[in-house]
Amino acid sequence: MTEIYETQPERTDLPLVAMPSVLKSMIDPIKAQFPALKDVARVRMFEEFTSDEDVIAERVADADVLLVGGYHISDDLLRTLNEHSHVKCIVFCGTGVASYINLDLAREFKIRVCNAEHYGDHAVAEHTFALMLELVRRTGQLDANVKAGSWSWAGGDGLQLAGRRLGIIGLGGIGSTVAGIARAFGMKVSAWNSHVPAEHFERSGAEPVNDLNELIANSDVVSVHLPLNNATRGIVTAENLAHLQPGTLFINTARSEVIESGALLARLSKGDIPAGLDVFDHEPLAADDAICKVPGIVLTPHVGWRTDGAFKELTRQMIQCVVAYFAGKDYNVVVSER
């Protein structure tokens, strides 16, 4: 039986905030934030994870605010919420909400959509280097070899990051953090100069490169950190990826949709680009997906953002979004109800 955690249940005069599905890792961090809603709103949280839309719709039927963690809001569910619930504010546990909800439809229904910003800059940046280091040192394979009684590495010697050039596509909070780590490793850092404020280059120490093809062609490692929105969807094209030199490492911990559909799989299928990917066109990734058959790449299940520090900051921002909504203020608003 699903446990239900409630705050101020006797305060039926207060609006209701519902979290019908929650990642296990979020339960304690978000509970720690609920005191900020004292005398502001009641909370009802179902302590299990489900993406069953019928269950979600039933659990939020009498709610004013929906807290979303780790699942998509389909157009059908959004229509149900609009027609059969009181929900007028949806707060996501992430930044790239365009991947999880139809923002235009939410705007049509006058439902506020909020996100969280920069909560995972360090988490995703660190995961970027986890993927990068796995590609150049193969610690997972070495661990398995040693435990199997082998003291050799059939895969050959490792690669050194120091002295190599990292090309960053997307020099925002995460990209800038990645640049700082790369410089600490002794890497040279460049970044695509596409609508990037000058202070980002000054702060990160990255060298601006105006042409994306040039950035890709001259980098030993290419790492993608663009947010997903209408302007960035498919912005990295097959023609851009054609400039990857054999042996260049390719990392994507941002969103798969910022790359032209099918372009990355086509380039990686040539077998000469080691890649580390945390995001995919279809999630969860099926075992028979074509990307799983490409040799020489490392795949992780969209976990770059999942650290204790990120959960703490993420849940703080989620509850701040709720406090601001009931106070008639804006905080991390992606789609306004007004």
Side-chain angles (χ1 to χ4, degrees):
M1 184 175 179
T2 303
E3 290 191 31
I4 302 175
Y5 180 83
E6 296 188 79
T7 66
Q8 307 176 95
E10 73 287 350
R11 291 292 308 273
T12 55
D13 58 307
L14 295 176
L16 177 64
V17 175
M19 195 163 195
S21 173
V22 62
L23 298 169
K24 183 177 180 181
S25 302
M26 287 184 66
I27 292 176
D28 288 339
I30 201 164
K31 279 182 177 179
Q33 303 296 332
F34 287 156
L37 293 176
K38 187 177 187 307
D39 298 327
V40 174
R42 296 172 289 146
V43 174
R44 183 183 300 149
M45 180 172 70
F46 294 79
E47 294 188 1
E48 71 166 358
F49 180 80
T50 179
S51 56
D52 187 311
E53 296 193 342
D54 291 335
V55 172
I56 290 170
E58 179 182 353
R59 290 177 176 178
V60 303
D62 56 345
D64 301 277
V65 173
L66 166 60
L67 300 180
V68 179
Y71 58 91
H72 292 74
I73 302 289
S74 71
D75 289 358
D76 286 342
L77 178 54
L78 189 55
R79 290 189 182 95
T80 298
L81 295 176
N82 182 58
E83 296 171 6
H84 303 292
S85 81
H86 302 296
V87 172
K88 285 300 176 184
C89 178
I90 300 177
V91 180
F92 280 86
C93 70
T95 303
V97 294
S99 299
Y100 289 87
I101 188 172
N102 185 331
L103 297 178
D104 291 333
L105 191 59
R107 190 174 291 108
E108 177 184 332
F109 292 155
K110 298 188 183 304
I111 296 176
R112 176 183 288 203
V113 177
C114 300
N115 69 351
E117 299 179 350
H118 300 296
Y119 69 93
D121 287 358
H122 289 280
V124 178
E126 290 171 9
H127 193 71
T128 296
F129 273 86
L131 291 171
M132 202 182 303
L133 289 167
E134 180 61 25
L135 289 173
V136 299
R137 300 309 298 262
R138 293 290 182 182
T139 54
Q141 179 183 333
L142 291 170
D143 172 70
N145 289 351
V146 171
K147 290 176 178 176
S150 172
W151 199 250
S152 65
W153 183 23
D157 296 328
L159 299 175
Q160 182 170 294
L161 293 178
R164 284 185 159 84
R165 182 167 294 279
L166 170 65
I168 296 174
I169 304 176
L171 195 65
I174 296 172
S176 295
T177 305
V178 167
I181 297 173
R183 292 176 65 204
F185 267 88
M187 300 183 77
K188 295 171 283 189
V189 183
S190 300
W192 185 28
N193 187 17
S194 175
H195 305 98
V196 178
E199 57 265 26
H200 286 213
F201 287 101
E202 295 169 5
R203 182 174 64 248
S204 67
E207 173 188 339
V209 177
N210 294 328
D211 184 82
L212 182 55
N213 290 339
E214 178 185 340
L215 176 81
I216 291 173
N218 294 328
S219 296
D220 301 297
V221 183
V222 173
S223 194
V224 181
H225 300 288
L226 291 167
L228 177 63
N229 52 47
N230 290 336
T232 62
R233 189 179 297 273
I235 196 170
V236 180
T237 67
E239 196 273 333
N240 296 140
L241 295 179
H243 287 78
L244 285 167
Q245 301 300 309
T248 301
L249 276 61
F250 186 88
I251 311 291
N252 189 4
T253 54
R255 286 289 189 272
S256 65
E257 296 95 332
V258 301
I259 301 173
E260 179 185 345
S261 180
L264 182 60
L265 176 60
R267 182 63 188 86
L268 295 182
S269 294
K270 294 182 179 181
D272 61 350
I273 300 296
L277 308 176
D278 188 48
V279 291
F280 308 93
D281 290 341
H282 307 286
E283 298 181 6
L285 196 65
D288 61 353
D289 193 286
I291 198 74
C292 296
K293 306 297 190 293
V294 179
I297 65 176
V298 175
L299 311 178
T300 54
H302 203 153
V303 295
W305 62 282
R306 296 185 61 156
T307 67
D308 55 349
F311 278 123
K312 181 177 180 180
E313 175 59 16
L314 168 62
T315 53
R316 185 198 68 78
Q317 290 190 40
M318 290 179 72
I319 299 307
Q320 187 58 46
C321 287
V322 177
V323 171
Y325 173 68
F326 287 123
K329 299 177 180 179
D330 292 345
Y331 184 84
N332 289 1
V333 176
V334 179
V335 171
S336 176
E337 76 281 14
R338 295 190 287 271

